Structures are given as structure tokens and as C-alpha cells.
Amino acid sequence: MLNQSFSFENLRTIHEIENRKGNYYKDFYSIQYNEIVYLLQEKRKEIKLEKAKLIFNEETFNRLLEEKKILEENKDSFLETDLNNISNTINKKSFDLKLTSFIPQPSGKAIYTTNKDAVSFFAMKQLQYNIFRTFKVKQSNRYQIVKQVKTLLQDNFPKFIVRTDIRQFYESVPQHDLLKLIENNSLLSPKSKSLIKNLLYNYNKLTGQLNLNEKSRKGIPRGIGISASLAELYMRKIDNEIKSISDVFFYARYVDDIIIFFAPNSKYTNNLYLNQIKKIVTDNGLELKDGTIPLEISKTNEIDLLIAGAAINKDMNFLGYKFEIRNSKLLNIKLSDNKKDKYNDRIEKSINNYLTNKLNNELEARKLLIHRFNYLTKNTKLHQPKKGLIGIYYSNSLIENNCKCLDDLDSKLKIIIDQKLPIASYPNLNKRLKKFSFKKGFADKLFFNINSKKKNIPDLRSSTNKRAKPLMNNFEKIVEAWK
């Protein structure tokens, strides 16, 4: 069996991984450990200065090295004590991964978080590792999916396409069936299984499902680290059943967004494929977002490209892109309308946040606003919550440099700035913000270093909100206004 224990050794590995990423959470450790870390930093500076002197004193240098060695030994000792205390707490039967529901998204889907303390952090990190290693679950690559879809739409091969997604995906996963998959796996440790059950119990407590029969309980907490892995695990059976439908030659899913390409060998019946997909999804306790619920915007779309030369003109939105099909051929790829609306919404919320916070601290509020505009219109490299390059280019790289949608974003940016920060009242800030450009950030691949410690991005929320939900890094401080 894989080493899945919540032991000092495993927690130390997590600590080292986070340190290599530059993630040092001071509040997670004892005063003694933090003091030693500081003293060790100062000692390294002394050694560096001594080494740089023109007249090198070997005796002084060796003494400093010996003092550094003693500090490192003390540091390891305090770290071992801290991590052992954390490990002992996690391994208690009474340990509870508490959930908090916070700031619902505009869609009305609640986001959940665990406590921002050392014990919850290390427990969740080790649990994520255990699930990943046991079930080998991994989210699909959004870029690769869209690139494949683009290639398939560019060829002239006859095809029938179904694009759809799951309604209320995270909130609808049948817990009973999910727990059976987990319980039936002998490789996952009992402690890991217990923590998953504990999380679902607390989720059911918050969503008022404890009075329901166990087979009727649904959902996994959106926003929790392991939820994406649990959702992927549950969807495996559905993925395989859809792939086995006759005539499927390409199937892809990114979270709850699904696209399937069919190449019929014989005459097909209208809705034949969609009906089969619906049945598979429904039989597994989920539903497609097909517009059957009042006021619901359907994301289910069928595109018939089977007749060569047919004048099929249709737009297909998928994973943030709009595929424009004209005369049955792919004409262009743009940002989807929803993606453009999201950028515009974040511009507005960033300025609104500035207008609120400037009443208490104009300088810091302005600094935070500039950081947010940098993040929106440029690109950055994330270390957490996910690793990788993101931003206006790296999140949308399949559109063209001269795509009109980038001009649309820049025009809207200026309109919003003039509406909320008129030049008569905010002359300097208005001019500065108008220098930001989505098009330039995309074409020149401009970068914003969100990870730099020199950024010192402020957290201007109230003391109550800071205590209720600590923001642990610059990324969280940037995106907080858009939740």
C-alpha cells in the first residue's frame, strides 16, 4: 500500500514542497520556529557579507558556518515538534475538517472552504495526494481539448456534433454512489475514507441534507481541494459509457462541459445521439443543462455537418471560446460572449472595490486597483492554488492576435473607466488605467509577476472578514473582489 499516513514524515514532505513554491505560512508554525527561521536568514546574510570582503578572515567565516549549522539543527528540531503536533491532531478520532460556506458566486453556487489553519491545510494536502495516487484522477487539459476541437472543425470530414454540460454538476453528484466507489477501493487508507465522509457530513449539515435518506443526499463542496478529484472519479463511468455509443470518434470533457463528435456509418435519426447521452447521464443521477428548466440557458447544442457543402451557419460556445461555423466550415475562433462579460464584470468590480476602499486608505486602494488591472490585462505564472501560466494570452491563446474581440474588450474597458472614474474627478487615475490593454497584453505576452514579495499586495477588507477568511497569498488578494 502507498504511504498514505498523516505522519510527520509525510507532512514534512508537504512542508518542503510548499517552501520550494515560495509558500511559507508563518501562522502555521510556533513562535520558536519562526524566530529560528529569522535568525537563520540573518546568519546567511552575515556569511554572504563576510565572504564578499576583500580581506577574507577564515576563522570568522568558519565560526559563522558553525553558528549557521547549529541554527539549522534547532530549526529542524522545532519543525519536527510542530509537525508532530499537527500530525497527532489530525490522527485523533475527534479531528474534524470543518466547512464554511462563503460569498456565493453570481450564479448562486455557494463556495466552500475549510479552516485556514495548519492542521486543516496539511490534512487536506495529504488527502489530495492520497486520492490522486490511489485513483489516478486528473482533470483534462483545457488547451489540448480546444486545440483538438479546432483541428476537427477545420477538416472537411462529415460529422455530427453534440455539445452539452451537466446541470449543477458539483451540487448533483450522488453521494451514496460516490462513497461506494471510495469504500470499495482497498488501496485508499481508512483515515482518508474517514476524512472524506467527514467532509460530506459537514457539507450535508450546511446544505440541510442530514434529515434525508443517505441515498437521496447529493453534492460535493464546490471550492474544496479534493472535490475536483472526487467529481472526476464519479464521472469515469459516464465518460466510458458515452464513449461506447456507436459512431463516436471523439469525446472530451472538461469538468462539466462535454463535446462529442460522431461519424455515422448509416442514416441517423434526429436526436438519436442526444437521447442516448441524456439517458446515460440521467441513469447515473445527473442531468444535462438542456433548457428544460424555466429561465435556464441551455448549453446543449447539436450541429449537423454531415452533408458536404451545406450552408450551415452556427456559433458554438465551448470552454470560453466561440467557434464561428459558416457554410459548414470553421471561419473564426473568438472569445465567447460569457468570457468577455466576465472580463468586463471584473473591471467594474475592481473599480467598485477601489471606490469603497479609498474612503479609508486611498493610496492602498489605488495600489490594489492597479494590481488587478495588471492581472486582468496581462499574464502571470501561478504557484498556487494551481501551477502554470494564465492570463489574457495563456488562457485564450487559440484566438488570433488581431481578433476583434480584443478590441471590444479594450473599448469596453475605457467606457467603464469613464463611467466610474470620470476624468474630471480622477484625471491621473483615469489616464493611467486607460493605458492598460487586453490586446497589447495578448499580442506582446506581457507579464505581471504576482508572486514577487515586493508586490506587497494589500488586504483592505474589514477585520471581521480577515479573521473569518484569511487570504493566504497575492492571488487570493487579487481575485477576492470578483467572488
Side-chain angles (χ1 to χ4, degrees), residues 377-379 392-393 437-446:
T377 60
K378 295 179 183 177
N379 303 280
I392 187 61
Y393 173 79
S437 166
F438 288 98
K439 188 170 186 176
K440 188 172 178 58
F442 183 94
D444 298 342
K445 300 183 182 66
L446 299 180

Side-chain angles (χ1 to χ4, degrees), residues 39-284:
L39 292 173
L40 195 51
Q41 288 171 343
E42 294 300 306
K43 190 62 62 180
R44 286 175 180 142
K45 289 177 185 176
E46 282 186 66
I47 292 170
K48 189 176 180 180
L49 289 171
E50 186 64 35
K51 199 173 182 180
K53 287 180 179 178
L54 291 174
I55 301 174
F56 182 74
N57 187 318
E58 188 173 349
E59 184 179 344
T60 302
F61 185 72
N62 288 334
R63 175 180 58 78
L64 290 172
L65 287 178
E66 185 60 30
E67 289 172 354
K68 173 175 166 281
K69 183 180 177 182
I70 293 170
L71 285 171
E72 286 175 336
E73 289 172 354
N74 288 336
K75 177 190 170 188
D76 286 343
S77 177
F78 284 125
L79 178 62
E80 183 172 351
T81 299
D82 286 351
L83 293 181
N84 269 318
N85 288 337
I86 292 169
S87 172
N88 292 336
T89 303
I90 295 172
N91 286 302
K92 288 179 181 177
K93 286 186 178 181
S94 59
F95 174 65
D96 192 20
L97 272 170
K98 290 183 171 60
L99 280 179
T100 304
S101 173
F102 73 98
I103 315 171
Q105 292 180 326
S107 62
K109 296 171 183 174
I111 304 297
Y112 296 84
T113 182
T114 53
N115 288 349
K116 296 283 186 176
D117 56 49
V119 179
S120 299
F121 176 83
F122 280 100
M124 186 58 69
K125 285 288 181 182
Q126 184 62 39
L127 183 56
Q128 283 179 264
Y129 174 81
N130 293 348
I131 293 171
F132 175 76
R133 290 292 302 273
T134 302
F135 295 103
K136 305 293 190 296
V137 284
K138 188 178 179 181
Q139 198 172 75
S140 301
N141 185 297
R142 173 180 173 267
Y143 172 79
Q144 290 299 330
I145 292 174
V146 178
K147 191 176 179 182
Q148 287 174 296
V149 169
K150 177 182 177 181
T151 300
L152 291 171
L153 287 173
Q154 285 174 329
D155 68 38
N156 294 320
F157 194 79
K159 59 187 76 73
F160 190 92
I161 307 165
V162 175
R163 180 262 183 273
T164 188
D165 77 349
I166 308 293
R167 178 183 292 139
Q168 295 287 322
F169 181 40
Y170 278 86
E171 293 77 15
S172 300
V173 172
Q175 292 179 14
H176 183 262
D177 296 337
L178 175 63
L179 286 171
K180 273 202 300 185
L181 292 172
I182 293 165
E183 283 292 350
N184 291 341
N185 189 290
S186 58
L187 295 179
L188 188 64
S189 69
K191 182 65 178 180
S192 297
K193 293 177 181 179
S194 173
L195 287 177
I196 293 170
K197 288 179 182 177
N198 171 250
L199 267 176
L200 291 179
Y201 175 85
N202 284 328
Y203 174 77
N204 291 333
K205 190 175 179 180
L206 287 173
T207 55
Q209 296 190 85
L210 290 181
N211 59 336
L212 297 179
N213 181 284
E214 288 185 1
K215 290 187 177 182
S216 301
R217 295 174 185 173
K218 292 191 172 189
I220 48 182
R222 184 182 293 269
I224 300 299
I226 65 165
S227 290
S229 296
L230 295 177
E232 289 297 315
L233 173 62
Y234 185 75
M235 285 298 293
R236 275 183 177 172
K237 182 171 178 281
I238 294 175
D239 292 339
N240 291 331
E241 288 183 12
I242 293 177
K243 288 177 187 177
S244 69
I245 295 175
S246 177
D247 304 332
V248 171
F249 73 90
F250 176 78
Y251 170 85
R253 178 181 56 79
Y254 184 79
V255 190
D256 56 349
D257 282 294
I258 296 170
I259 192 163
I260 313 109
F261 283 70
F262 298 87
N265 293 319
S266 58
K267 183 68 177 175
Y268 71 97
T269 305
N270 193 32
N271 290 329
L272 172 66
Y273 297 131
L274 182 56
N275 288 338
Q276 290 180 77
I277 295 164
K278 279 184 178 179
K279 186 176 188 311
I280 290 169
V281 171
T282 304
D283 287 349
N284 284 280

Side-chain angles (χ1 to χ4, degrees), residues 316-455:
M316 180 180 76
N317 289 292
F318 186 61
L319 298 184
Y321 291 95
K322 179 191 281 188
F323 296 85
E324 293 186 339
I325 299 169
R326 300 294 180 265
N327 294 321
S328 300
K329 293 183 180 179
L330 179 63
L331 176 68
N332 204 355
I333 301 179
K334 299 180 177 180
L335 290 178
S336 70
D337 294 337
N338 283 342
K339 193 71 173 286
K340 288 196 293 183
D341 288 343
K342 182 185 288 186
Y343 280 118
N344 294 332
D345 180 64
R346 289 180 174 181
I347 292 168
E348 288 201 39
K349 285 181 175 176
S350 297
I351 297 176
N352 289 342
N353 189 266
Y354 161 77
L355 292 171
T356 299
N357 289 327
K358 80 180 184 71
L359 302 175
N360 297 318
N361 191 327
E362 201 282 333
L363 183 64
E364 291 292 271
R366 178 183 293 241
K367 184 192 297 185
L368 186 53
L369 177 61
I370 299 299
H371 285 322
R372 284 178 173 142
F373 268 60
N374 267 304
Y375 178 85
L376 281 171
T377 60
K378 295 179 183 177
N379 303 280
T380 192
K381 185 175 183 179
L382 283 185
H383 294 315
Q384 62 169 339
K386 294 181 180 179
K387 289 176 65 177
L389 298 169
I390 64 166
I392 187 61
Y393 173 79
Y394 288 98
S395 299
N396 311 290
S397 60
L398 291 172
I399 64 173
E400 301 295 330
N401 280 355
N402 60 354
C403 182
K404 184 178 177 296
C405 58
L406 295 171
D407 291 315
D408 293 342
L409 284 176
D410 282 347
S411 296
K412 187 65 176 178
L413 178 142
K414 290 179 173 63
I415 290 170
I416 295 171
I417 292 169
D418 281 336
Q419 287 174 342
K420 293 188 169 292
L421 300 169
I423 195 164
S425 304
Y426 303 89
N428 295 330
L429 186 57
N430 181 290
K431 290 176 184 176
R432 184 172 182 182
L433 293 179
K434 283 183 179 176
K435 290 180 181 179
F436 287 99
S437 166
F438 288 98
K439 188 170 186 176
K440 188 172 178 58
F442 183 94
D444 298 342
K445 300 183 182 66
L446 299 180
F447 260 82
F448 169 60
N449 184 7
I450 196 174
N451 305 302
S452 172
K453 292 180 181 177
K454 295 179 181 178
K455 283 289 184 293

